[in-house]
Structure formats: C-alpha cells, structure tokens
Amino acid sequence: MIYLDYAATSPVRREVLEAMLPCFTQQYGNPDSLHACGRQAAFALRMARDEIAALLGVQPAEVYFTSGGTEADNWAVRCIAQDGKGGVLLSPIEHAAALQAARFCARYAVCRVGEDGVVSPDHVRDLLSNSGGMSLVCVMAVNNETGCVQPVEELAGAAHAHGAYFFSDCVQAAASCDLKELARHCDALALSAHKVGGPKGVGALIVKKGVPLAPLIAGGEQERGLRGGTSNVAGAVGFARALALAQAEREAFVRHTGSLRDGFEQYILCELGGDVRVDGERRAPNISHLTFARGGTAFLNALDLAGVACSGGAACSAHSALPSHVLMAMGRSEEESLRGVRFSFGMCTSEEEAREAARIVAATYKKFVSA
C-alpha cells in the first residue's frame, strides 16, 4: 500500500512516541491532584503548553488544549464574542465542524470563494460593511480538501478594520506554514496534533488575551475554568513534540512534498490529458486535489484495491454520499463535486512511491473508464 492520505492523518513519529511514554509509565498522575504524582503530571502539561506557546509566539495562558481540531473549531465559532450582539461570517470552504457549529449561533453568514478556491479580502470587506455587525470572521489558513492557501493577513486586517475578531483553522497549515507568522495576525486559531506526526485526540485552541471566550464544555476547572475534563497529559506532550519537529522541518517539508506533488501531477496530466484537472490555485505543497471526468466512490475503491490510499475529501466526511461542499463553493456542479480525489504527501513518502502511485492512478483510471 502506498499511503497518500497524510491530510487525513499521519503516523505518530518515533520521537513523539518516546516523549509520550513517560506519561503512561511514570508521570501518569492526574495533573489536578495535589500529591507528588499529580504535580509531576502537571509539570509535564505546563512544559507542553509553554513549548507550543513559544512555537506560536503567544503566551502560555493563551493556549487551551482540546480533543482535536473539531472541538477547537466548535469552541471558537460558538464561544468567541458570542453575546448575541454580533454574528459570525464564515467562508464556504471551512471544515464541516466550523460550518455546522455556526448553526448554533444567533446569526451567521457565509461569504463567497473564487473558482481558484481562494477567499477574496475585498469581498469580505464588502460583506462586513453591509452586514449590520459581525463579531467574528472565520477563514481557514489552508483548505483541508484542495490545499488552497488563504490570504490570512489581509482577511484578518479586513475583520479588524470592521471591529471583528479573526479566527483561522490552521490544522492543515501546521506542516507547511510559519505558525508564528499566522498567529501574529489571528485573534484565535485551531491546531490538531495528528496532522503533524502527533497522536490523535488532542489539539489546541489559541485565543489571544482580551478576546472574549465562553466555555464549551462544563464540568471542571481545567484550562483556566473554560474546558472541563481530565487533561490529556500524554497527548499534550506528544503534540508539543510533534509541532516542534514539524516547524523545525518546515522548509524541508515544503521542498520534499512540493517536488513529489509536482511530479505526480505532471505524470497524470500527461497520461490522462483532458480527463483530469487540478483543483485550486496557490496551494500548499503537500496536497493534490484532482477531479476526474469519471470517478466517484467506485474509482476510489479501485485505487484502494490497486494499492493507493487516498480520499475523496475530508476523512470526517468519507462515508457521506454528498458532493464536496468545497468544490461546489468553487462553482462546480453537484455531479462534478462527487469526482474529486485528494492525494496528500508526507516526509515519509519517497520519490519511488510517488512515481509508482502516479503510474497506478493513471493505469487504474484507464481501466476504470474502459470497463
């Protein structure tokens, strides 16, 4: 099996696993317990929070651990500046977690996205000028399906100019983007560990000081009284280690995955011609989203049987028969939006694997359409 689904999840790195092991065998106490075992766990949790804060250029008190990106998106959309006086403006290409969370808000609106998959700051400015007051603008940094990189600095500036806070889902950006630079422009941002070689089930919501944040999960005094539940110390430690490694290797990651993706796409486009198109512009280097003239679930199954692991979009929507909301927002038809395939690369992907995967994809498609 050639694994080309790193945008869905990545394997836990050995360095991360080694950093986590003491939390299961030595520092296993509840960090809220007052005895020595609890204090050891609390220290490990604090060190993880401090490391993540340093990587982002924020204060440790601005880092809130969550169960992952979905919870972080929900928390931000539903609980930042939601006092009933303002609304939420989202892009139509947001993760389903953010779009569905907006339904719980008193008022929300969705902007447009271009055929290139990029949100226009000018359009956001126009909407904010005529919206009657928005308290929060939500646009993800890198789209999880197409990999399209959004102009975060300009979008945040548009939000701030109209008195709104700016939140960005940076889950897919953590491996290829400078998180410190992104955090500089955002009032809040979301991250998830398992996209960068960390464990599943842990993420973070970063909320700058002074930004009003209400609790999403009640039941305890954890996370400064804003997120109840026993802290996932091992997850936080692994998350911090994975994020540090990802940011340290970011330039190498961009070079490696970008080279693999470009070669992969070039071969498929050469072999299939007008039967395939590349989706989006200004893309992150590790994601290739292709729409085929024929495809859908049957083609994905054929690729799986042929030995290539990829996806039809976000993994959390993999079992849905609905067309991609991202492609439809980019102006595609419902039928065309069912035929997109996402291939995503990681540092573990070799040149040989990428070449062989491209050959398999082209050959499988030819066989698929001739059947």
Side-chain angles (χ1 to χ4, degrees):
M1 175 65 70
I2 300 175
Y3 186 75
L4 296 185
D5 205 16
Y6 283 86
T9 196
S10 58
V12 175
R13 297 182 57 152
R14 182 175 297 276
E15 303 96 320
V16 172
L17 180 60
E18 290 173 352
M20 294 173 65
L21 283 175
C23 301
F24 297 112
T25 58
Q26 301 166 24
Q27 302 163 348
Y28 52 82
N30 187 320
D32 291 307
S33 296
L34 299 179
H35 48 64
C37 193
R39 291 195 299 273
Q40 287 180 338
F43 180 76
L45 184 65
R46 189 180 77 187
M47 290 298 98
R49 197 186 308 273
D50 288 351
E51 184 172 10
I52 290 173
L55 289 167
L56 298 174
V58 301
Q59 297 301 311
E62 296 172 333
V63 178
Y64 297 87
F65 287 115
T66 68
S67 62
T70 292
E71 182 189 335
D73 280 358
N74 269 267
W75 197 357
V77 172
R78 298 172 65 177
C79 300
I80 289 179
Q82 292 306 299
D83 56 4
K85 298 179 181 179
V88 180
L89 177 65
L90 307 95
S91 86
I93 59 170
E94 294 303 292
H95 190 280
L99 290 171
Q100 293 180 23
R103 299 174 185 174
F104 292 92
C105 300
R107 186 164 63 90
Y108 75 94
V110 179
C111 68
R112 293 195 308 269
V113 66
E115 292 182 359
D116 59 359
V118 178
V119 178
S120 165
D122 288 336
H123 175 55
V124 169
R125 290 189 190 96
D126 290 342
L127 285 178
L128 290 172
S129 296
N130 299 289
S131 65
M134 290 290 177
S135 57
L136 182 68
V137 175
C138 307
V139 182
M140 63 197 331
V142 173
N143 182 256
N144 55 308
E145 291 191 27
T146 63
C148 289
V149 179
Q150 306 302 319
V152 167
E153 181 177 357
E154 294 84 354
L155 291 165
H160 295 154
H162 288 82
Y165 295 108
F166 184 77
F167 163 69
S168 186
D169 177 337
C170 295
V171 168
Q172 286 292 348
S176 61
C177 297
D178 183 344
L179 290 180
K180 189 172 289 187
E181 178 65 16
L182 286 175
R184 191 165 68 86
H185 303 294
C186 299
D187 299 296
L189 61 93
L191 294 168
S192 183
H194 74 102
K195 306 295 188 180
V196 289
K200 297 175 183 65
V202 62
L205 176 64
I206 314 303
V207 182
K208 299 286 186 65
K209 184 179 179 181
V211 177
L213 178 67
L216 178 67
I217 298 176
E221 294 302 312
Q222 293 86 357
E223 301 302 309
R224 276 83 74 203
L226 291 176
R227 199 262 185 189
T230 303
S231 299
N232 181 359
V233 179
V237 169
F239 183 16
R241 184 67 178 134
L243 198 61
L245 290 168
Q247 286 292 285
E249 299 170 358
R250 183 173 59 84
E251 293 182 359
F253 177 88
V254 169
R255 288 194 301 270
H256 178 68
T257 59
S259 176
L260 296 182
R261 186 197 66 184
D262 290 347
F264 175 84
E265 290 181 350
Q266 184 177 12
Y267 181 90
I268 293 174
L269 289 169
C270 182
E271 288 290 310
L272 302 183
D275 267 22
V276 64
R277 66 182 291 181
V278 176
D279 299 312
E281 299 177 11
R282 193 186 173 192
R283 299 173 296 150
N286 57 311
I287 296 178
S288 172
H289 196 282
L290 306 178
T291 296
F292 295 83
R294 290 181 58 186
T297 303
F299 181 49
L300 284 171
N301 291 340
L303 289 175
D304 182 29
L305 292 172
V308 176
C310 54
S311 65
C316 55
S317 302
H319 298 284
S320 173
L322 297 175
S324 165
H325 73 278
V326 173
L327 293 183
M328 290 190 66
M330 292 166 61
R332 309 293 176 78
S333 67
E334 288 191 19
E335 195 274 334
E336 190 177 13
S337 297
L338 288 166
R339 294 189 266 106
V341 182
R342 183 186 67 185
F343 304 92
S344 46
F345 306 83
M347 287 296 283
C348 295
T349 311
S350 68
E351 291 184 13
E352 293 76 15
E353 285 179 316
R355 284 197 297 267
E356 178 64 7
R359 186 196 66 78
I360 291 173
V361 170
T364 302
Y365 181 79
K366 292 176 182 178
K367 183 178 179 180
F368 177 79
V369 297
S370 65

